[in-house]
Amino acid sequence: MPGESDTEVRDRLASVLTAPGAALEVRQAAAVELAAAGDRRAFETLALLLNYRDEARARQAAAALARLGDPRTGRAAAALATNAQRVGYALPAIRLLVELRAPEAVPALTTTLERLLAQPSPAPHERIALACVEGLGALAGARGPAARRALRAATGHPRLAPAAHAALARAGDHTARV
């Protein structure tokens, strides 16, 4: 609105987040704009959208959360990444954890990877498993014993093996190399 102060604009956007009947797209747009302004009132809406079925919507929420810089983001992304019931929607949360280099990243990626590798076939969620392997490599997370075990197990899966070997090599672990 013309003549509104920055505070008034942000207050108006924040009211959209809780307005009854507001469309999802409108809430998301308001949350993204608030995040760009550094307004932490956007956090809850963006955290919910991070694990949304629509991957494009979740990616947009992840990007906004990264800009927002709220200290709760790592914990929220880790909770979403490790939710066994929602693993199919975890890719944006996993990538956000890696981008933020959050302290929760290595344990969350390790847990998710171990759970996927324990399934008879990780194929249904191969993109998620690969993101975990690549994330552990990027974070040098392979230095922890649990992460190394999970990455060594990933070397037994043809689609994951190259990234798992690379992650282990970055950590100075060449024992799994074939």
Side-chain angles (χ1 to χ4, degrees):
M1 297 279 189
E4 278 185 307
S5 70
D6 184 51
T7 302
E8 291 169 327
V9 169
R10 286 186 316 191
D11 287 346
R12 184 175 44 78
L13 289 168
S15 71
V16 169
L17 300 179
T18 58
L24 182 62
E25 295 79 14
V26 174
R27 289 179 201 266
Q28 183 164 6
V32 167
E33 197 168 332
L34 282 169
D39 191 316
R40 292 190 176 164
R41 290 178 287 182
F43 176 78
E44 286 82 9
T45 299
L46 293 171
L48 288 171
L49 290 167
L50 179 61
N51 201 231
Y52 200 73
R53 286 184 297 275
D54 177 348
E55 192 173 321
R57 191 175 301 282
R59 279 194 318 265
Q60 185 182 29
L65 282 164
R67 282 191 307 275
L68 182 59
D70 190 295
R72 300 171 289 177
T73 302
R75 286 187 309 276
L80 295 171
T82 59
N83 183 334
Q85 303 303 313
R86 304 282 296 168
V87 71
Y89 310 119
L91 192 58
I94 289 167
R95 290 188 174 147
L96 177 60
L97 283 167
V98 175
E99 178 183 347
L100 295 175
R101 304 186 80 73
E104 300 87 355
V106 171
L109 272 58
T110 301
T111 297
T112 301
L113 180 59
E114 287 173 333
R115 185 179 299 122
L116 292 173
L117 293 174
Q119 296 177 358
S121 169
H125 301 297
E126 195 170 84
R127 287 180 347 135
I128 308 300
L130 183 58
C132 290
V133 169
E134 292 171 344
L136 288 169
L139 296 168
R143 290 189 174 91
R148 275 197 308 277
R149 277 192 307 277
L151 288 168
R152 285 188 193 120
T155 64
H157 297 271
R159 303 277 309 253
L160 304 177
H165 284 296
L168 288 165
R170 274 194 285 287
D173 182 337
H174 301 283
T175 60
R177 186 45 100 186
V178 179

